Amino acid sequence: MALLAGCATTPTPTPIASAELLAAPDRLAGNNAKDIPRKTAQSLNFMQLQPGQTVFEIEAGGGYGTELFSRADGPGGKVIMQNPAGFMAEVKATLDKRFTGGRLANVAQNAS
């Protein structure tokens, strides 16, 4: 049909495999122990995050998920992490560790 000749598809980037994200050797100590009870691999597979996307994470806490989203999005993507101002005293030390050395360069923090 002539109609099909005019259609074009844009290739979609392949989602990052959850196993690859979870196996990163520089994740913060203790994060791997949280993966199974939180069903992180299943959640990441469901989300099908792709390089270059923008993710907005509400009530990000200490950034456990934020770090995984950052890695999945890659340098061309962006993660906006939001925490209520009341969370910050509790999670500041963890966030400081997580952001040390520019580890999450594509993440913007927003406390409200």
Side-chain angles (χ1 to χ4, degrees):
M1 296 282 240
L3 182 61
L4 293 176
C7 295
T9 55
T10 304
T12 304
T14 304
I16 303 297
S18 62
E20 184 181 331
L21 296 171
L22 299 178
D26 64 338
R27 290 179 70 202
L28 292 187
N31 279 190
N32 293 79
K34 297 175 183 177
D35 295 340
I36 292 174
R38 290 184 179 200
K39 299 186 183 294
T40 305
Q42 295 90 328
S43 296
L44 290 169
N45 288 336
F46 175 78
M47 288 183 238
Q48 295 189 5
L49 298 173
Q50 299 171 5
Q53 289 182 318
T54 298
V55 174
F56 182 66
E57 184 181 17
I58 299 171
E59 293 190 6
Y64 167 87
T66 306
E67 182 167 341
L68 296 169
F69 302 151
S70 171
R71 292 173 189 268
D73 285 347
K78 183 176 184 177
V79 178
I80 303 163
M81 69 178 303
Q82 180 275 338
N83 272 315
F87 280 24
M88 296 310 291
E90 185 177 332
V91 300
K92 183 180 180 337
T94 302
L95 290 176
D96 287 348
K97 287 179 196 174
R98 207 170 291 283
F99 281 91
T100 297
R103 290 179 69 241
L104 305 178
N106 63 346
V107 176
Q109 295 185 63
N110 180 4
S112 56

XYZ file of all heavy atoms in Angstrom:
809
model
N 0.831 -1.182 0.000
C 0.000 0.000 0.000
C 0.876 1.246 0.000
O 1.916 1.279 0.634
C -0.903 0.009 1.225
C -1.909 -1.100 1.294
S -3.215 -0.673 0.201
C -4.595 -0.584 1.225
N 0.434 2.268 -0.620
C 1.180 3.517 -0.689
C 1.331 4.168 0.674
O 2.314 4.835 0.939
C 0.500 4.469 -1.665
N 0.371 3.947 1.528
C 0.411 4.528 2.864
C 1.635 4.064 3.634
O 2.291 4.846 4.306
C -0.868 4.163 3.625
C -1.002 4.739 5.030
C -0.994 6.259 4.992
C -2.256 4.235 5.687
N 1.976 2.811 3.518
C 3.128 2.281 4.233
C 4.435 2.864 3.718
O 5.382 3.009 4.472
C 3.158 0.755 4.139
C 2.027 0.034 4.853
C 2.130 -1.455 4.606
C 2.069 0.320 6.333
N 4.507 3.206 2.482
C 5.734 3.751 1.913
C 6.109 5.084 2.550
O 7.269 5.439 2.602
C 5.578 3.914 0.414
N 5.126 5.802 3.043
C 5.393 7.100 3.639
C 5.720 7.048 5.123
O 6.057 8.047 5.726
N 5.637 5.890 5.740
C 5.891 5.755 7.167
C 7.366 5.496 7.428
O 8.013 4.771 6.683
C 5.076 4.609 7.762
S 3.305 4.907 7.690
N 7.859 6.071 8.449
C 9.247 5.833 8.846
C 9.272 5.501 10.328
O 8.470 6.021 11.096
C 10.097 7.065 8.575
N 10.182 4.658 10.698
C 10.333 4.347 12.113
C 11.696 4.807 12.569
O 12.673 4.720 11.833
C 10.182 2.843 12.387
O 11.095 2.137 11.571
C 8.773 2.373 12.106
N 11.725 5.318 13.760
C 12.978 5.732 14.369
C 13.445 4.607 15.268
O 12.676 4.139 16.106
C 12.771 7.013 15.209
O 12.200 8.004 14.368
C 14.073 7.494 15.801
N 14.690 4.155 15.072
C 15.141 3.073 15.945
C 15.150 3.506 17.402
O 15.523 4.620 17.737
C 16.564 2.782 15.462
C 16.912 3.825 14.471
C 15.679 4.613 14.148
N 14.684 2.621 18.254
C 14.651 2.884 19.688
C 15.903 2.287 20.317
O 16.236 1.144 20.034
C 13.405 2.239 20.309
O 12.259 2.740 19.627
C 13.297 2.550 21.783
N 16.610 3.052 21.163
C 17.782 2.475 21.820
C 17.394 1.256 22.645
O 16.288 1.162 23.158
C 18.281 3.601 22.738
C 17.621 4.840 22.243
C 16.353 4.418 21.557
N 18.299 0.346 22.744
C 18.062 -0.860 23.530
C 18.115 -0.530 25.013
O 19.049 0.134 25.466
C 19.144 -1.917 23.210
O 19.120 -2.153 21.803
C 18.901 -3.202 23.956
N 17.128 -0.984 25.782
C 17.182 -0.757 27.228
C 18.434 -1.393 27.833
O 18.907 -2.422 27.366
C 15.926 -1.452 27.744
C 15.020 -1.553 26.564
C 15.915 -1.685 25.375
N 18.964 -0.760 28.860
C 20.124 -1.289 29.560
C 19.669 -2.488 30.401
O 18.670 -2.414 31.100
C 20.744 -0.206 30.476
C 21.123 1.035 29.669
C 21.928 -0.746 31.246
C 22.176 0.835 28.619
N 20.412 -3.570 30.333
C 20.067 -4.767 31.099
C 20.236 -4.504 32.589
O 21.238 -3.927 33.022
C 20.949 -5.933 30.660
N 19.249 -4.916 33.367
C 19.310 -4.686 34.806
C 20.521 -5.370 35.430
O 21.137 -4.824 36.344
C 18.026 -5.155 35.483
O 17.839 -6.536 35.305
N 20.890 -6.550 34.942
C 22.048 -7.266 35.509
C 23.319 -6.437 35.365
O 24.158 -6.395 36.269
C 22.212 -8.618 34.825
N 23.447 -5.752 34.252
C 24.617 -4.888 34.014
C 24.640 -3.726 35.014
O 25.683 -3.392 35.562
C 24.549 -4.360 32.583
C 25.710 -3.534 32.135
C 25.537 -3.039 30.703
O 24.866 -3.714 29.905
O 26.065 -1.963 30.400
N 23.502 -3.133 35.263
C 23.422 -2.015 36.205
C 23.724 -2.467 37.633
O 24.437 -1.793 38.370
C 22.033 -1.379 36.159
C 21.622 -0.723 34.847
C 20.157 -0.344 34.884
C 22.479 0.484 34.549
N 23.177 -3.600 38.019
C 23.334 -4.082 39.386
C 24.741 -4.612 39.660
O 25.174 -4.646 40.807
C 22.299 -5.166 39.691
C 20.835 -4.711 39.593
C 19.903 -5.874 39.856
C 20.545 -3.555 40.517
N 25.444 -5.009 38.618
C 26.786 -5.583 38.788
C 27.897 -4.536 38.818
O 29.064 -4.888 39.007
C 27.059 -6.577 37.663
N 27.560 -3.266 38.670
C 28.589 -2.217 38.659
C 29.426 -2.290 39.936
O 28.884 -2.277 41.037
C 27.948 -0.848 38.519
N 30.741 -2.389 39.799
C 31.594 -2.581 40.973
C 31.694 -1.374 41.903
O 32.081 -1.516 43.055
C 32.958 -2.907 40.363
C 32.921 -2.306 38.998
C 31.488 -2.367 38.552
N 31.319 -0.202 41.425
C 31.470 0.991 42.266
C 30.174 1.442 42.936
O 30.083 2.556 43.435
C 32.071 2.140 41.448
C 31.165 2.606 40.319
O 30.287 1.827 39.869
O 31.343 3.744 39.854
N 29.176 0.558 42.999
C 27.964 0.910 43.751
C 28.329 1.049 45.225
O 29.267 0.425 45.710
C 26.891 -0.161 43.573
C 26.314 -0.166 42.155
C 25.275 -1.240 41.969
N 24.068 -0.913 42.722
C 23.171 -1.824 43.088
N 23.343 -3.094 42.808
N 22.105 -1.463 43.764
N 27.576 1.848 45.953
C 27.853 2.054 47.373
C 27.712 0.752 48.146
O 26.863 -0.093 47.837
C 26.910 3.092 47.970
C 27.065 4.539 47.518
C 26.155 5.440 48.352
C 28.482 5.017 47.580
N 28.537 0.626 49.169
C 28.496 -0.563 50.031
C 27.093 -0.750 50.584
O 26.444 0.200 51.022
C 29.505 -0.424 51.169
N 26.619 -1.961 50.538
C 25.306 -2.278 51.067
C 24.182 -2.215 50.048
O 23.096 -2.745 50.294
N 24.411 -1.572 48.912
C 23.336 -1.466 47.924
C 22.971 -2.815 47.328
O 21.793 -3.087 47.079
C 23.700 -0.485 46.818
C 23.465 0.956 47.197
O 23.540 1.838 46.364
N 23.176 1.237 48.447
N 23.953 -3.683 47.106
C 23.657 -4.993 46.518
C 22.730 -5.807 47.418
O 21.900 -6.566 46.924
C 24.944 -5.771 46.254
C 25.760 -5.112 45.175
O 26.441 -4.123 45.428
N 25.677 -5.639 43.979
N 22.848 -5.643 48.722
C 22.005 -6.385 49.661
C 20.538 -5.952 49.559
O 19.640 -6.701 49.948
C 22.510 -6.204 51.085
N 20.289 -4.778 49.031
C 18.920 -4.267 48.903
C 18.248 -4.731 47.610
O 17.029 -4.626 47.474
C 18.931 -2.738 48.927
C 19.446 -2.146 50.223
C 19.533 -0.638 50.123
C 20.108 -0.040 51.391
N 20.260 1.408 51.301
N 19.034 -5.224 46.657
C 18.501 -5.529 45.331
C 17.413 -6.609 45.343
O 16.377 -6.447 44.705
C 19.621 -5.963 44.385
C 20.612 -4.844 44.104
O 20.259 -3.662 44.303
O 21.736 -5.159 43.685
N 17.628 -7.696 46.071
C 16.659 -8.795 46.046
C 15.371 -8.423 46.776
O 14.283 -8.563 46.201
C 17.285 -10.098 46.581
C 18.343 -10.576 45.584
C 16.220 -11.172 46.813
C 19.150 -11.758 46.033
N 15.428 -7.928 48.022
C 14.152 -7.611 48.684
C 13.373 -6.492 47.995
O 12.139 -6.461 48.059
C 14.544 -7.222 50.105
C 16.012 -7.046 50.118
C 16.566 -7.753 48.921
N 14.056 -5.595 47.318
C 13.367 -4.507 46.614
C 12.915 -4.911 45.207
O 12.287 -4.118 44.518
C 14.275 -3.280 46.514
C 14.511 -2.594 47.830
C 15.329 -1.339 47.634
N 15.551 -0.658 48.896
C 15.895 0.616 48.993
N 16.069 1.348 47.910
N 16.078 1.160 50.171
N 13.310 -6.123 44.789
C 12.998 -6.601 43.436
C 13.485 -5.613 42.373
O 12.785 -5.287 41.401
C 11.509 -6.897 43.283
C 11.009 -7.971 44.234
C 9.575 -8.332 43.960
C 9.035 -9.338 44.948
N 9.619 -10.627 44.923
N 14.695 -5.148 42.574
C 15.260 -4.111 41.716
C 15.417 -4.577 40.275
O 15.088 -3.833 39.348
C 16.607 -3.634 42.285
O 16.388 -3.208 43.639
C 17.162 -2.476 41.503
N 15.917 -5.778 40.059
C 16.101 -6.265 38.687
C 14.763 -6.293 37.938
O 14.675 -5.824 36.799
C 16.746 -7.652 38.694
N 13.731 -6.794 38.596
C 12.416 -6.867 37.962
C 11.872 -5.469 37.670
O 11.287 -5.224 36.610
C 11.424 -7.638 38.838
C 11.767 -9.096 39.032
C 12.647 -9.350 40.255
O 13.472 -8.533 40.646
N 12.472 -10.510 40.867
N 12.068 -4.549 38.601
C 11.582 -3.178 38.405
C 12.291 -2.502 37.238
O 11.660 -1.853 36.407
C 11.789 -2.354 39.678
O 11.028 -2.880 40.730
N 13.609 -2.663 37.179
C 14.370 -2.050 36.088
C 13.980 -2.651 34.740
O 13.854 -1.926 33.746
C 15.869 -2.200 36.334
C 16.431 -1.368 37.487
C 17.861 -1.798 37.804
C 16.377 0.118 37.173
N 13.780 -3.961 34.700
C 13.354 -4.590 33.446
C 11.991 -4.065 33.015
O 11.753 -3.818 31.831
C 13.311 -6.111 33.594
C 14.693 -6.715 33.660
O 15.664 -6.141 33.179
N 14.794 -7.876 34.266
N 11.089 -3.860 33.972
C 9.771 -3.335 33.662
C 9.856 -1.912 33.100
O 9.169 -1.566 32.146
C 8.885 -3.356 34.915
C 7.540 -2.720 34.715
C 6.525 -3.397 34.059
C 7.292 -1.436 35.182
C 5.291 -2.810 33.867
C 6.051 -0.847 34.997
C 5.049 -1.533 34.339
N 10.716 -1.081 33.686
C 10.838 0.323 33.272
C 11.456 0.481 31.888
O 11.184 1.464 31.201
C 11.674 1.097 34.285
C 10.975 1.335 35.586
S 12.020 2.318 36.672
C 12.146 1.232 38.059
N 12.297 -0.450 31.485
C 12.979 -0.392 30.191
C 13.638 0.964 29.942
O 13.438 1.598 28.911
C 12.019 -0.747 29.062
C 11.521 -2.166 29.127
C 10.748 -2.578 27.900
O 10.641 -1.848 26.921
N 10.210 -3.767 27.934
N 14.417 1.408 30.915
C 15.123 2.678 30.766
C 16.107 2.592 29.604
O 16.738 1.559 29.391
C 15.876 3.008 32.054
C 15.004 3.200 33.287
C 15.869 3.340 34.531
C 14.109 4.404 33.115
N 16.220 3.698 28.873
C 17.082 3.731 27.705
C 18.009 4.925 27.778
O 17.655 5.967 28.346
C 16.233 3.811 26.442
C 15.318 2.624 26.285
C 14.329 2.815 25.161
O 14.372 3.792 24.431
N 13.418 1.874 25.018
N 19.184 4.801 27.182
C 20.115 5.933 27.165
C 19.449 7.172 26.570
O 18.676 7.083 25.610
C 21.251 5.439 26.269
C 21.191 3.953 26.378
C 19.732 3.616 26.519
N 19.728 8.306 27.177
C 19.233 9.578 26.671
C 17.892 10.028 27.222
O 17.441 11.126 26.929
N 17.252 9.219 28.051
C 15.956 9.605 28.603
C 16.120 10.581 29.760
O 17.202 10.747 30.308
C 15.205 8.376 29.116
C 14.700 7.468 28.029
C 13.925 6.301 28.592
O 14.299 5.705 29.589
N 12.822 5.953 27.935
N 15.011 11.195 30.129
C 14.955 12.010 31.336
C 14.043 11.303 32.326
O 12.949 10.878 31.971
C 14.391 13.419 31.043
O 15.277 14.077 30.132
C 14.273 14.246 32.313
N 14.535 11.150 33.564
C 13.782 10.480 34.618
C 13.583 11.472 35.753
O 14.523 12.154 36.158
C 14.548 9.244 35.149
C 13.834 8.625 36.342
C 14.747 8.221 34.047
N 12.370 11.560 36.275
C 12.076 12.387 37.442
C 11.706 11.441 38.572
O 10.743 10.692 38.474
C 10.932 13.351 37.144
C 10.615 14.269 38.282
C 11.521 15.228 38.696
C 9.416 14.175 38.957
C 11.232 16.077 39.747
C 9.120 15.022 40.017
C 10.026 15.973 40.410
N 12.512 11.438 39.622
C 12.288 10.539 40.744
C 11.791 11.336 41.949
O 12.487 12.212 42.456
C 13.575 9.801 41.099
C 13.381 8.785 42.181
C 14.657 8.061 42.573
O 15.756 8.549 42.255
O 14.530 7.030 43.235
N 10.599 11.007 42.412
C 9.985 11.697 43.545
C 10.340 10.954 44.827
O 10.284 9.733 44.882
C 8.456 11.757 43.367
C 8.117 12.538 42.091
C 7.787 12.384 44.577
C 6.666 12.470 41.703
N 10.685 11.711 45.873
C 11.102 11.158 47.171
C 12.214 10.130 46.969
O 12.101 8.965 47.325
C 9.907 10.576 47.939
C 8.939 11.655 48.352
C 7.864 11.184 49.320
O 7.911 10.029 49.784
O 6.975 11.996 49.628
N 13.305 10.606 46.412
C 14.438 9.754 46.039
C 15.231 9.241 47.233
O 16.030 8.321 47.085
C 15.360 10.525 45.101
N 15.048 9.832 48.389
C 15.783 9.383 49.573
C 17.279 9.502 49.372
O 17.776 10.513 48.894
N 18.012 8.442 49.710
C 19.469 8.451 49.615
C 20.007 8.189 48.223
O 21.219 8.121 48.031
N 19.135 8.032 47.243
C 19.580 7.925 45.862
C 19.888 6.523 45.369
O 20.523 6.365 44.334
N 19.413 5.495 46.072
C 19.619 4.107 45.637
C 19.142 3.926 44.190
O 19.878 3.463 43.328
C 18.882 3.165 46.593
C 18.729 1.745 46.120
C 19.718 0.797 46.368
C 17.588 1.334 45.437
C 19.570 -0.518 45.945
C 17.434 0.032 45.012
C 18.425 -0.887 45.259
O 18.271 -2.184 44.834
N 17.905 4.303 43.922
C 17.362 4.198 42.565
C 17.948 5.237 41.636
O 18.186 4.973 40.458
N 18.199 6.413 42.153
C 18.746 7.500 41.352
C 20.030 7.069 40.661
O 20.236 7.341 39.479
C 19.046 8.733 42.238
O 17.870 9.088 42.960
C 19.525 9.905 41.424
N 20.893 6.400 41.414
C 22.165 5.963 40.832
C 21.936 4.982 39.681
O 22.579 5.075 38.636
C 23.050 5.325 41.901
C 24.386 4.898 41.340
C 25.403 4.544 42.397
O 25.248 4.935 43.570
O 26.376 3.876 42.030
N 21.017 4.064 39.838
C 20.729 3.104 38.775
C 20.116 3.806 37.560
O 20.472 3.506 36.418
C 19.803 2.010 39.301
C 20.409 1.140 40.407
C 19.339 0.270 41.054
C 21.554 0.297 39.880
N 19.217 4.759 37.806
C 18.617 5.507 36.701
C 19.689 6.304 35.959
O 19.686 6.385 34.733
C 17.526 6.456 37.197
C 16.406 5.788 37.954
C 15.712 6.483 38.923
C 16.052 4.465 37.719
C 14.677 5.892 39.626
C 15.014 3.860 38.423
C 14.319 4.576 39.371
N 20.606 6.894 36.711
C 21.688 7.671 36.128
C 22.523 6.818 35.192
O 22.869 7.225 34.083
C 22.568 8.253 37.243
O 23.734 8.824 36.717
N 22.866 5.634 35.637
C 23.667 4.726 34.808
C 22.892 4.290 33.562
O 23.450 4.190 32.478
C 24.075 3.505 35.616
C 25.059 3.817 36.721
C 25.281 2.586 37.595
N 26.043 2.905 38.777
C 27.367 2.808 38.864
N 28.074 2.411 37.834
N 27.981 3.115 39.982
N 21.616 4.006 33.710
C 20.798 3.575 32.575
C 20.643 4.688 31.543
O 20.669 4.438 30.340
C 19.428 3.115 33.061
N 20.487 5.922 32.014
C 20.304 7.063 31.114
C 21.582 7.451 30.388
O 21.541 8.009 29.306
C 19.794 8.285 31.879
C 18.341 8.158 32.248
O 17.659 7.268 31.726
O 17.883 8.958 33.071
N 22.711 7.184 31.018
C 23.995 7.510 30.401
C 24.251 9.001 30.357
O 23.448 9.814 30.819
N 25.387 9.384 29.775
C 25.774 10.799 29.765
C 24.816 11.685 28.971
O 24.735 12.879 29.208
C 27.169 10.803 29.142
C 27.358 9.453 28.552
C 26.378 8.517 29.172
N 24.059 11.119 28.040
C 23.115 11.918 27.258
C 21.756 12.056 27.915
O 20.899 12.776 27.432
N 21.548 11.376 29.036
C 20.270 11.434 29.735
C 20.345 12.331 30.944
O 21.376 12.926 31.249
N 19.222 12.431 31.637
C 19.163 13.302 32.811
C 18.232 12.684 33.843
O 17.188 12.137 33.496
C 18.646 14.678 32.409
C 18.607 15.677 33.540
C 18.186 17.045 33.044
C 18.257 18.054 34.162
N 17.919 19.391 33.707
N 18.632 12.768 35.102
C 17.793 12.329 36.210
C 17.592 13.531 37.127
O 18.550 14.198 37.499
C 18.445 11.173 37.002
C 17.570 10.774 38.184
C 18.705 9.977 36.098
N 16.354 13.783 37.457
C 16.027 14.837 38.415
C 15.513 14.136 39.656
O 14.493 13.447 39.607
C 14.960 15.797 37.862
C 15.441 16.394 36.539
C 14.618 16.877 38.878
C 14.346 17.019 35.713
N 16.270 14.256 40.731
C 15.851 13.611 41.977
C 15.250 14.654 42.901
O 15.802 15.731 43.089
C 17.003 12.856 42.644
C 18.101 13.705 43.212
S 19.416 12.793 44.058
C 18.555 11.899 45.289
N 14.096 14.345 43.455
C 13.389 15.254 44.345
C 13.274 14.609 45.710
O 13.011 13.418 45.825
C 12.003 15.553 43.768
C 11.155 16.494 44.585
C 10.374 15.813 45.713
O 10.120 14.623 45.705
N 10.009 16.601 46.707
N 13.523 15.393 46.714
C 13.316 14.985 48.102
C 12.621 16.114 48.837
O 12.963 17.281 48.645
C 14.653 14.712 48.806
C 15.129 13.295 48.635
O 14.369 12.354 48.768
N 16.411 13.136 48.331
N 11.655 15.791 49.684
C 11.100 16.831 50.540
C 12.211 17.377 51.446
O 13.115 16.635 51.845
C 10.043 16.096 51.370
C 9.724 14.869 50.582
C 10.990 14.509 49.867
N 12.155 18.632 51.752
C 13.191 19.248 52.593
C 13.379 18.483 53.901
O 14.498 18.365 54.400
C 12.833 20.707 52.865
N 12.323 17.919 54.449
C 12.403 17.166 55.694
C 13.228 15.896 55.602
O 13.677 15.366 56.603
N 13.446 15.381 54.413
C 14.259 14.169 54.222
C 15.746 14.470 54.294
O 16.552 13.584 54.573
C 14.010 13.557 52.837
C 12.776 12.728 52.700
C 11.675 12.874 53.519
C 12.706 11.780 51.693
C 10.544 12.108 53.353
C 11.584 11.008 51.515
C 10.492 11.171 52.340
N 16.135 15.689 53.969
C 17.534 15.989 53.694
C 18.467 15.719 54.873
O 19.566 15.215 54.685
C 17.691 17.421 53.187
C 17.000 17.653 51.842
S 17.393 16.415 50.567
C 19.094 16.806 50.252
N 18.053 16.008 56.073
C 18.923 15.760 57.229
C 19.236 14.268 57.352
O 20.357 13.883 57.680
C 18.275 16.279 58.506
N 18.258 13.438 57.049
C 18.434 11.994 57.174
C 19.271 11.392 56.042
O 19.998 10.425 56.255
C 17.059 11.320 57.202
C 17.130 9.828 57.442
C 15.749 9.201 57.534
O 14.791 9.885 57.933
O 15.650 8.022 57.199
N 19.192 11.942 54.843
C 19.848 11.316 53.690
C 21.106 12.048 53.213
O 21.791 11.564 52.317
C 18.870 11.153 52.507
C 17.699 10.280 52.903
C 18.391 12.499 51.976
N 21.434 13.176 53.808
C 22.554 13.994 53.324
C 23.872 13.227 53.267
O 24.585 13.286 52.261
C 22.718 15.244 54.174
C 23.830 16.157 53.642
C 23.992 17.382 54.485
C 25.062 18.327 54.017
N 26.134 17.843 53.209
N 24.212 12.484 54.290
C 25.494 11.762 54.311
C 25.564 10.736 53.184
O 26.594 10.612 52.507
C 25.699 11.083 55.661
N 24.471 10.033 52.951
C 24.455 9.051 51.862
C 24.562 9.738 50.513
O 25.309 9.291 49.636
C 23.171 8.197 51.922
O 23.110 7.555 53.193
C 23.144 7.157 50.821
N 23.846 10.834 50.340
C 23.920 11.556 49.068
C 25.320 12.114 48.833
O 25.811 12.087 47.701
C 22.882 12.676 49.022
C 21.430 12.223 48.916
C 20.489 13.423 48.985
C 21.196 11.419 47.652
N 25.959 12.605 49.883
C 27.326 13.115 49.737
C 28.250 12.013 49.209
O 29.057 12.236 48.310
C 27.856 13.659 51.059
C 27.209 14.989 51.444
O 26.522 15.604 50.595
O 27.376 15.392 52.617
N 28.124 10.798 49.749
C 28.938 9.665 49.277
C 28.597 9.330 47.830
O 29.475 9.063 47.014
C 28.689 8.416 50.127
C 29.276 8.465 51.496
C 28.935 7.176 52.237
C 29.151 7.329 53.724
N 28.682 6.146 54.463
N 27.322 9.326 47.531
C 26.872 8.932 46.199
C 27.354 9.908 45.114
O 27.648 9.503 43.999
C 25.348 8.834 46.190
C 24.848 7.851 45.158
C 23.382 7.562 45.285
N 22.945 6.824 46.429
C 23.065 5.506 46.595
N 23.658 4.770 45.687
N 22.590 4.925 47.671
N 27.450 11.185 45.455
C 27.846 12.188 44.466
C 29.347 12.487 44.473
O 29.813 13.271 43.660
C 27.061 13.488 44.700
C 25.658 13.430 44.162
C 24.610 12.996 44.956
C 25.380 13.792 42.856
C 23.322 12.923 44.475
C 24.090 13.729 42.355
C 23.057 13.291 43.161
N 30.108 11.863 45.368
C 31.544 12.119 45.466
C 32.243 11.853 44.142
O 31.979 10.850 43.482
C 32.176 11.223 46.566
O 31.599 11.597 47.812
C 33.672 11.396 46.644
N 33.128 12.736 43.774
C 33.934 12.543 42.565
C 33.159 12.630 41.265
O 33.595 12.093 40.263
N 32.024 13.279 41.272
C 31.248 13.439 40.041
C 30.629 12.147 39.533
O 30.397 12.005 38.343
N 30.371 11.203 40.437
C 29.840 9.899 40.039
C 28.496 9.994 39.301
O 28.212 9.169 38.457
C 29.654 9.004 41.268
C 30.944 8.544 41.880
C 30.745 7.677 43.113
N 30.173 6.384 42.743
C 29.008 5.935 43.178
N 28.280 6.649 44.012
N 28.555 4.763 42.807
N 27.679 10.957 39.633
C 26.356 11.058 39.023
C 26.214 12.416 38.328
O 25.366 13.227 38.679
C 25.260 10.875 40.090
C 25.352 9.592 40.925
C 24.255 9.559 41.970
C 25.295 8.372 40.043
N 27.039 12.602 37.319
C 27.104 13.908 36.649
C 25.806 14.300 35.946
O 25.561 15.487 35.736
C 28.262 13.906 35.644
N 24.972 13.337 35.608
C 23.726 13.653 34.892
C 22.524 13.765 35.827
O 21.384 13.718 35.379
C 23.456 12.624 33.795
C 23.233 11.223 34.324
O 23.522 10.930 35.493
N 22.745 10.354 33.475
N 22.785 13.921 37.128
C 21.702 14.014 38.118
C 21.628 15.431 38.683
O 22.625 15.996 39.091
C 21.909 13.002 39.275
C 20.829 13.172 40.337
C 21.918 11.583 38.731
N 20.417 15.960 38.712
C 20.150 17.251 39.342
C 19.320 16.985 40.600
O 18.364 16.227 40.565
C 19.377 18.165 38.403
N 19.721 17.606 41.713
C 18.989 17.445 42.976
C 18.013 18.592 43.153
O 18.317 19.738 42.848
C 19.961 17.439 44.149
C 20.895 16.246 44.147
C 21.746 16.229 45.395
O 21.228 16.115 46.497
N 23.048 16.341 45.211
N 16.836 18.272 43.685
C 15.815 19.276 43.927
C 15.149 18.964 45.256
O 14.438 17.974 45.369
C 14.783 19.247 42.790
C 13.694 20.273 42.969
O 13.709 21.067 43.890
N 12.729 20.242 42.081
N 15.394 19.770 46.257
C 14.725 19.605 47.546
C 13.610 20.630 47.649
O 13.804 21.797 47.324
C 15.721 19.798 48.691
N 12.433 20.169 48.054
C 11.301 21.113 48.178
C 10.592 20.910 49.483
O 10.654 19.910 50.107
C 10.338 20.920 47.013
O 9.895 19.588 46.931
